Amino acid sequence: MANTLARQDNGQFQITFSIPQSEIKSGYKTALEHLSKDVEVQGFRKGKAPLDKVEQKLDKNDIYEHMIRDMLPVLWNEAVAEHKLKPILTPSVRIVSSPEDGDWQFEAVSCEMPKIEVEKGLEKVKGLLKKDGIWTPGKDTDEKPKEPTEDEKLAKIFDVLVEEVKIDLPEILLKQEADRQLSELIDQIQKLGLTLEQYLSSTGKKVDDLRADYAKRAADQLKIEFVLAEVSKVAKIEVKKEEIDQLIESTTDPKLKESLQSPESRRHIELSLIKRKTVEHLLELAK
């Protein structure tokens, strides 16, 4: 089945799939056969009714939805391999056209890691915490200046990196992250027994203001995550197998310890340790 790829400079890409009507009919029949196993039709044993009888019991939209769920992952994986893509997001998919007797078209949008150059930003970080003009608690008082906390130091470092490192973030990535954060906020509001309207009234903001705030917050947080990932590569920061083993071994809960041995959990631990080492590297650089 044919597909076409369209790329953007910021790493976002779109794949358009064209699926012949013959494949749509075949996929529809396969989906109907799968669904028939759980459909009860009077006069027949469950899963043994003729497909035309089963089809009458089902909503066609449900059959097509099942067909698409089965078909698209295969098409997506084939296209990603064909074009040698490295997506970092589950694709956002929409049906472009679905004529009853013609070929169908789908669009799948995702993105790769945006290009980042951190060298200039790292130069600005060097000695940042001891340079004149950098605020530290107590500096403008007669009292002996207090040592900034690690969070305060990191806030200064991240502010510089966000300002100095230019990243053109993919729109789909920004939208998904902003939507995720907004969804979490709405859940928190509901747990407090409030409606979104009541929350907005108490803050004096409108929905558009809230979306703008979270879009900026999402952009800043994504920038930091990508910068940290790139700094870890530039600094050649690695985590040894023994370090992961040691962390898992320090867990006292036997069930948790066992679950942490899965490849997914070990990879998550590895990424967390790399991130921590990268933060420590930046703190050392800023001294």
Side-chain angles (χ1 to χ4, degrees), residues 10-13 76 86-89 109-114 170 172-173 226:
N10 61 8
Q12 185 163 309
F13 64 86
W76 171 257
K86 296 179 180 179
I88 60 173
L89 279 183
V109 180
S110 185
C111 65
E112 296 183 298
M113 184 78 76
I172 187 173
L173 185 62
F226 285 132

Side-chain angles (χ1 to χ4, degrees), residues 5 8 12 17 21 46 59-60 70 93-94 133 137 171 184 199 212 221 226 248 266 278:
L5 172 67
Q8 295 181 20
Q12 185 163 309
F17 299 94
Q21 180 61 210
K46 187 176 181 180
D59 186 325
K60 271 198 171 185
D70 285 347
V93 179
R94 76 179 185 94
E171 297 90 343
E184 288 182 354
Y199 173 81
Q221 291 179 354
F226 285 132
I248 294 174
R266 290 184 67 89
T278 305

Side-chain angles (χ1 to χ4, degrees), residues 41-222:
V41 178
Q42 189 172 359
F44 298 92
R45 286 184 297 162
K46 187 176 181 180
K48 298 297 182 181
L51 290 183
D52 60 332
K53 299 289 186 183
V54 173
E55 188 175 20
Q56 293 172 12
K57 297 275 290 184
L58 295 171
D59 186 325
K60 271 198 171 185
N61 289 330
D62 292 337
I63 303 173
Y64 279 125
E65 183 179 337
H66 190 93
M67 176 195 77
I68 292 168
R69 282 205 308 268
D70 285 347
M71 187 179 290
L72 277 182
V74 176
L75 295 177
W76 171 257
N77 289 332
E78 289 175 350
V80 165
E82 176 187 344
H83 298 291
K84 296 180 173 59
L85 299 168
K86 296 179 180 179
I88 60 173
L89 279 183
T90 300
S92 173
V93 179
R94 76 179 185 94
I95 299 175
V96 178
S97 61
S98 54
E100 188 170 345
D101 296 318
D103 296 349
W104 285 28
Q105 277 198 333
F106 294 86
E107 279 182 1
V109 180
S110 185
C111 65
E112 296 183 298
M113 184 78 76
K115 295 178 181 177
I116 310 171
E117 293 183 2
V118 297
E119 285 75 9
K120 290 182 179 179
L122 291 177
E123 285 297 319
K124 291 283 186 179
V125 169
K126 286 181 181 178
L128 175 68
L129 300 177
K130 64 182 179 182
K131 289 179 181 176
D132 290 336
I134 300 298
W135 173 87
T136 55
K139 179 177 179 179
D140 298 324
T141 70
D142 294 332
E143 300 175 9
K144 183 179 179 180
K146 294 188 296 183
E147 174 70 15
T149 65
E150 182 175 294
D151 286 344
E152 290 168 341
K153 292 176 182 178
L154 287 174
K156 283 295 171 185
I157 293 170
F158 290 160
D159 283 347
V160 168
L161 290 173
V162 167
E163 179 66 26
E164 293 295 327
V165 178
K166 305 304 178 187
I167 309 176
D168 187 7
L169 292 169
E171 297 90 343
I172 187 173
L173 185 62
L174 278 171
K175 184 179 184 305
Q176 284 197 13
E177 179 60 18
D179 287 349
R180 184 190 67 78
Q181 293 186 17
L182 275 171
S183 178
E184 288 182 354
L185 173 66
I186 291 171
D187 286 343
Q188 292 171 3
I189 291 171
Q190 290 175 343
K191 287 177 182 178
L192 293 173
L194 299 173
T195 64
L196 180 59
E197 290 74 18
Q198 289 171 326
Y199 173 81
L200 290 171
S201 177
S202 67
T203 58
K205 293 184 177 181
K206 298 179 180 178
V207 172
D208 289 344
D209 298 329
L210 195 63
R211 285 192 176 277
D213 289 346
Y214 273 80
K216 184 181 184 307
R217 182 182 299 186
D220 289 347
Q221 291 179 354
L222 285 170

